[in-house]
Amino acid sequence: QRGPCPMRRAVTGLPHAVRAMHFPESMDQFEAARKRLAFNELFLFSLALAEKKAHHSAERSHFVIEAHPEVAALVEKLPFQLTEGQKAAVHDIAADMGSGFVMNRLVQGDVGSGKTMVAAAACFCAVRNGKQAAFMAPTEILAEQHEKTLSALLGPLGVHVLLLTGAKTPAQKRAAREKIASGEAQLIVGTHALISTGVEFHALGLVVADEQHRFGVAQRTRLTEKGDAPHLLVMSATPIPRTLALIAYGDLDVSVIAELPPGRRPVETFLVSEALRERLNGFIRKQCAGGHQVYVVCPAVEDGEENAMKSAEGWAQTLRDETFPELRVGLVHGRMKSAEKDAALSAFRAGDYDILVATTVVEVGVDVPNATLMVIENAERFGLSQLHQLRGRVGRGSAQSYCVLVSGTKNEETKKRLQALCKTTDGFKIAEQDLALRGPGDFFGSRQHGLPLLKVASLQMDLETLRDAQQAAAAVIQTADSLNAPELAPLKARVEALFTRQEVSLN
């Protein structure tokens, strides 16, 4: 291989390492062999990402999107001040889109950090430069919410915002496609419907993918292929430990919004057992009497899915008929039809329900500033990062908000895990703890969203090995054309095979 690099000292002895993994003579020999095989695994993946990033960096943009003066005017008109993190992210995006090269940037920020405002500035910039922007969200509820937010923000400035989702009628979809193809629609917000075959853009200049971990790389790519090398902005409200980010987002430039907008109060979090149920019910009544609203999240949809687990359907019935007959109790869960879910969430947003009993369908993107209390039943059934996401549904207004974790667990480790959430609202610290406790395979609740299927390497144990692997990969991938060297043909074949496997798992 080329030049001195960590790979040179690690590459010797692969057959020996394989033998030692199966028939070690000592634990030291086993660990040395495991590290050697972990390096091999992490090196290949790092090489794949390094090559992809090199291609991104070398890809010339067919158009330059300049930081339009009206973007600064838009920011000035806002009824709130941007945080320093938001300003820095907008600056990074403007620099990328004006560089002459294709932008591939991730904006990562905790729940409520204001990523949508950053994306709005980027979309406005694209539109003012004569290009279309496509904003893809993972659910219809979230897409509709983004469309309302962006319409209110950019509509008065002359931007035509259009919503395209699978729930539209055939006639509505046809009319929407015509507006997109003609260029009349300038900012198109939608779900996976945006990547369907019949959707053709007039001049797609920017693609925004929200909650990026819920999309596969292949889906993201299909949307960018609808334009002529458009800029790409992906957003995630799931804080990821740096260790995992090196793997999950190794092909992207990253901007982090670390602070919350001014005026937001940290959500107070408490862990309680069933023994405090009556006090909790009194607290719920108090919040509702004060004109506020309450979420109650259950881990199951219906009774019988697993013993001792609260179900959304059964618990909603109990709250409605027995516990709070004087209050208005709504229900939403993932098995309901889209129209039913939308109706329930819209009614809650409009204040028609005091309490909304739900599953994790409310985990992402549901914004009801009047909701001040999140009660999570059987909290031990959720990962820390998921609990943090659910907690982020409250605290979105100016009133003090609360999150109550209800758990009857006797397991001391589980109690410590839940108590850790009560002690901090820093999503990145919580993510580090979640990674250590649950491992990378469970981090997003699914292996389908671009994470490598590591057989030997451990992202908790092998951080130093990962750094060595990335350094070695960088030594090999010095240009986008590096892997085309004849002597690297076997290596290129293994990298392409890895990407092929990843793409299959992402579809």
Side-chain angles (χ1 to χ4, degrees):
Q1 310 296 349
R2 307 172 183 180
C5 71
M7 183 175 65
R8 192 175 278 284
R9 54 172 197 270
V11 153
T12 55
L14 184 58
H16 174 74
V18 172
R19 279 196 302 274
M21 275 286 285
H22 289 84
F23 308 106
E25 294 176 5
S26 67
M27 282 306 297
D28 286 346
Q29 188 185 63
F30 172 83
E31 182 55 22
R34 191 198 67 77
K35 280 198 170 181
R36 169 64 188 89
L37 294 174
F39 175 89
N40 208 56
E41 195 169 34
L42 292 169
F43 170 68
L44 277 175
F45 196 79
S46 297
L47 202 63
L49 287 175
E51 186 197 29
K52 197 169 185 186
K53 192 165 187 176
H55 275 291
H56 287 334
S57 301
E59 190 174 13
R60 302 286 310 188
S61 176
H62 298 290
F63 49 84
V64 174
I65 294 179
E66 296 177 351
H68 202 278
E70 286 186 53
V71 176
L74 166 67
V75 171
E76 288 296 319
K77 290 176 186 175
L78 292 173
F80 50 84
Q81 289 281 320
L82 291 189
T83 64
E84 291 306 310
Q86 285 175 310
K87 290 176 184 174
V90 170
H91 179 269
D92 290 344
I93 291 164
D96 285 353
M97 294 198 300
S99 68
F101 294 91
V102 174
M103 173 177 73
N104 284 274
R105 182 165 293 277
L106 164 74
V107 173
Q108 188 183 7
D110 214 337
V111 286
S113 60
K115 296 177 299 300
T116 305
M117 183 56 237
V118 171
C123 292
F124 188 55
C125 206
V127 170
R128 280 293 177 263
N129 278 268
K131 300 296 177 182
Q132 290 172 301
F135 195 123
M136 186 162 68
T139 66
E140 294 194 359
I141 294 166
L142 193 49
E144 287 173 8
Q145 190 165 295
H146 280 316
E147 187 270 336
K148 286 175 185 170
T149 301
L150 294 167
S151 292
L153 197 62
L154 302 180
L157 300 173
V159 177
H160 183 164
V161 183
L162 181 142
L163 178 68
L164 179 63
T165 66
K168 299 286 185 185
T169 66
Q172 287 172 328
K173 288 178 186 173
R174 189 164 53 250
R177 286 196 296 266
E178 288 172 2
K179 289 177 181 177
I180 295 168
S182 70
E184 181 184 344
Q186 297 167 303
L187 170 52
I188 302 91
V189 183
T191 54
H192 299 79
L194 293 177
I195 60 177
S196 58
T197 307
V199 178
E200 301 291 339
F201 289 84
H202 177 70
L204 183 60
L206 171 66
V207 167
V208 179
D210 192 22
E211 291 305 323
Q212 98 84 27
H213 67 273
R214 296 188 170 217
F215 296 109
V217 175
Q219 292 170 318
R220 219 166 63 192
T221 302
R222 280 202 292 273
L223 185 52
T224 58
E225 285 173 350
K226 287 184 176 288
D228 191 0
H231 298 289
L232 174 66
L233 175 66
V234 296
M235 304 196 298
S236 176
T238 303
I240 298 181
R242 176 154 178 76
T243 324
L244 198 54
L246 289 171
I247 289 289
Y249 301 135
D251 62 324
L252 299 169
D253 297 311
V254 181
S255 296
V256 175
I257 305 175
E259 72 272 60
L260 293 179
R264 289 275 177 90
R265 299 191 202 178
V267 177
E268 293 185 18
T269 308
F270 304 94
L271 174 62
V272 304
S273 67
E274 279 294 332
L276 294 176
R277 177 66 68 181
E278 281 307 311
R279 283 184 63 182
L280 173 57
N281 289 343
F283 191 53
I284 291 172
R285 287 190 185 94
K286 184 178 177 181
Q287 291 297 306
C288 294
H292 298 298
Q293 292 165 279
V294 178
Y295 292 99
V296 176
V297 172
C298 299
V301 172
E302 57 189 17
D303 289 337
E305 289 188 26
E306 197 170 333
N307 290 335
M309 268 207 316
K310 290 278 192 308
S311 75
E313 289 183 344
W315 197 235
Q317 196 69 38
T318 299
L319 297 184
R320 194 180 288 132
D321 296 345
E322 299 173 23
T323 314
F324 304 115
E326 76 281 11
L327 298 176
R328 300 163 298 168
V329 179
L331 171 68
V332 63
H333 57 72
R335 292 185 196 166
M336 294 166 68
K337 292 179 180 176
S338 291
E340 293 174 323
K341 281 189 287 189
D342 292 350
L345 287 166
S346 295
F348 187 60
R349 197 178 290 120
D352 296 341
Y353 294 130
D354 302 299
I355 300 171
L356 183 66
V357 181
T359 56
T360 54
V361 71
V362 298
E363 178 186 349
V364 171
V366 179
D367 190 1
V368 182
N370 191 48
T372 55
L373 174 59
M374 167 64 72
V375 178
I376 304 173
E377 301 288 346
N378 302 109
E380 73 279 359
R381 300 281 179 165
F382 302 91
L384 285 183
S385 291
Q386 191 171 40
L387 289 170
H388 180 61
Q389 288 287 317
L390 288 166
R391 175 170 62 180
R393 293 311 99 211
V394 295
R396 306 182 80 81
S398 57
Q400 178 61 56
S401 292
Y402 308 88
C403 177
V404 178
L405 311 175
V406 183
S407 176
T409 182
K410 301 287 191 257
N411 185 293
E412 288 303 317
E413 283 301 309
T414 303
K415 282 183 187 176
K416 283 182 187 175
R417 185 170 68 86
L418 296 175
Q419 284 162 352
L421 192 79
C422 299
K423 292 174 184 173
T424 181
T425 55
D426 185 330
F428 290 93
K429 286 182 183 174
I430 291 163
E432 292 284 357
Q433 291 171 324
D434 216 14
L435 177 63
L437 289 164
R438 292 172 9 116
D442 293 331
F443 196 80
F444 292 130
S446 170
R447 288 185 179 273
Q448 296 183 20
H449 303 300
L451 295 180
L453 301 176
L454 300 175
K455 295 177 182 176
V456 180
S458 160
L459 292 179
Q460 294 99 292
M461 296 165 56
D462 296 317
L463 181 56
E464 189 176 340
T465 304
L466 172 60
R467 290 190 185 117
D468 282 350
Q470 290 181 314
Q471 189 180 338
V476 173
I477 304 293
Q478 294 168 359
T479 70
D481 201 41
S482 294
L483 271 187
N484 289 328
E487 68 271 22
L488 295 182
L491 202 53
K492 182 178 180 179
R494 292 193 66 183
V495 168
E496 287 178 346
L498 173 68
F499 258 155
T500 300
R501 286 197 299 273
Q502 286 289 94
E503 289 296 306
V504 167
S505 72
L506 290 168
N507 281 297

